[in-house]
Amino acid sequence: MKKDNFFITTPIYYPSGVPHMGHAYSSILADVFARFKRIDNFNVCFLTGTDEHGLKIQKAAERNNLEPSVYCEKISKVFRELTTTLNLSNDDFIRTTEKRHSKAVNELWNRLVESGDIYLSKYKGWYSVSDEAYYNSDEIVEKDGKKFSTFSGSQVEWVEEESFFFKLSSWEKKLLEFYEQNDKFILPISRRNEVINFVKSGLKDLSVSRTSFTWGIKVPNNDKHIIYVWLDALTNYLSALNFPNTNHELYKNFWPASLHVIGKDILRFHAIYWPAFLLAANIAPPIRVFSHGWILSGDEKMSKSKGNILNPLEIIDTYGIDELRYYLMKEVSHGSDGSISLKNLEECINSDLANNYGNLCQRVFSFIKNNCESKIIKTLNISYADKKFIEQVNLLTKNLKHDMNNQDLNKYIKSVINISFLTNKYINDEEPWKLKNNNKEKMNNILHIAIEQIAKISILLNPIIPKKTLKVLNALKIDKKSVNLDFLNKKNILSKTLTIGDLDILFKKIS
Ligand code: MSP
């Protein structure tokens, strides 16, 4: 059967400092969606990478006394290594300093020139190097003689220079029509409304080249101008697919992108500029932009400039990668901000992973090992209590695909962890240990029903905690190929006669 294609991306990261929890969050979130689509039998392409041009990076290189290219090589490697540490399943890692990328950017630029959407003029206004963004005067506040963006809080500087402009203003109406026709182009809905209001309030033409520094892609046939880093960076989504070779398999299979996962700070670029560039260049815009909230430390966004960073590497060393993945996915989701702390992390590991899912697996596996020589056979028909329990579980699994396809990961996790809770309860209520001597058949049945649920829960949690769930699935002799969602169509996963392997402790309780 031919699989449907799904192209999912993370933002490409500025290699301007060490990776922090915000980066980890954005990447893991996209990874969870990518892994889910794979087990839902999609042909997935998952892209991440580094955004290496522009003044921000040039300045970071200067601070480190390195040539920008040498600096980028070094820090991009750190981000590439992070993909392994976070156990990301990305299929590609793109760097904007690669040849394949500049080729695509040149082509996009030329198309915008050909369509008459680019003209030469002079930019006079505010610019934030930290955001690589232009701001209107009504988005600026003054504090202690310095100017800051009200949107991001970053310091801005006054810029006056010759610049090429993109006719963003002429795309206002078409963008509004596009949002109207594609009502799930921006999720969550609150972000969609924000974007629509911003566009309705009027779009100004966008400066898309700079002349005051050199680190970037030159405007074709013009050595003086460097292409605006956001026009450059956004194009990575196309260059990874071999654009401008639109006959290439990757491009044919995967464009338009199914899902760009991004933080709310870069929503304007993805939801306004990006579709406008693409429409102007006669390229189909992506299907969806999902904008997640921020990881906060106390009340503030976690970021290097604010000095409130929780180091993901230290946390992974102490608690484990699956533990961090689960916590981040449960804590911050569906577009709202989430404050994280070690205390909450530990509570979450104990309540959901150690006491709930972990305990369920451990108690059932060791009971079967100790009382049934690791082998169980299902012979009886299901009882009324079994039926009631299975119905409850079915109710909880009913909307899981829908939740995930709407990026409602909170709801998804809640339902799955609830299945685990119910399975623990089912065992408590059915007390299989009391049947050891007088009704082995019934005991086998109960254990079989419970372990079938363990298999389901493990597959459903696999996109979030891949390492630990694979341990359970291996012990159940479920091979990688069988880790998929086919069981949602009422299929049982396990055979009636079952021999299980050993399972070590999955999650240590933190005291
Ligand atoms: N280089 C641009 C993206 C270009 S995409 C064509 C960029 N890079 S970044 O390194 O600053 O941020 C990468 C991602 O991390 C963004 O989605 C951003 O929202 C996210 N996060 C950075 N700090 C964050 C938090 N504190 N919390 C959650 N995510 C945040 O932007």
Side-chain angles (χ1 to χ4, degrees), residues 10-16 20-27 50-52 56 79 130-131 229-230 232-237 261-266 269-270 292-296 300-303 332:
T10 70
I12 46 170
Y13 298 97
Y14 288 130
S16 55
H20 58 69
M21 205 56 96
H23 298 132
Y25 174 71
S26 223
S27 303
T50 41
D51 181 358
E52 305 184 11
K56 180 180 169 112
F79 278 87
S130 155
D131 304 342
V229 64
W230 270 100
D232 166 341
L234 287 160
T235 310
N236 89 88
Y237 303 131
V261 175
I262 57 152
K264 64 179 184 182
D265 47 333
I266 56 174
F269 305 98
H270 283 82
H292 62 70
W294 280 340
I295 302 271
L296 304 177
E300 284 195 315
K301 180 189 173 202
M302 196 172 285
S303 75
V332 201

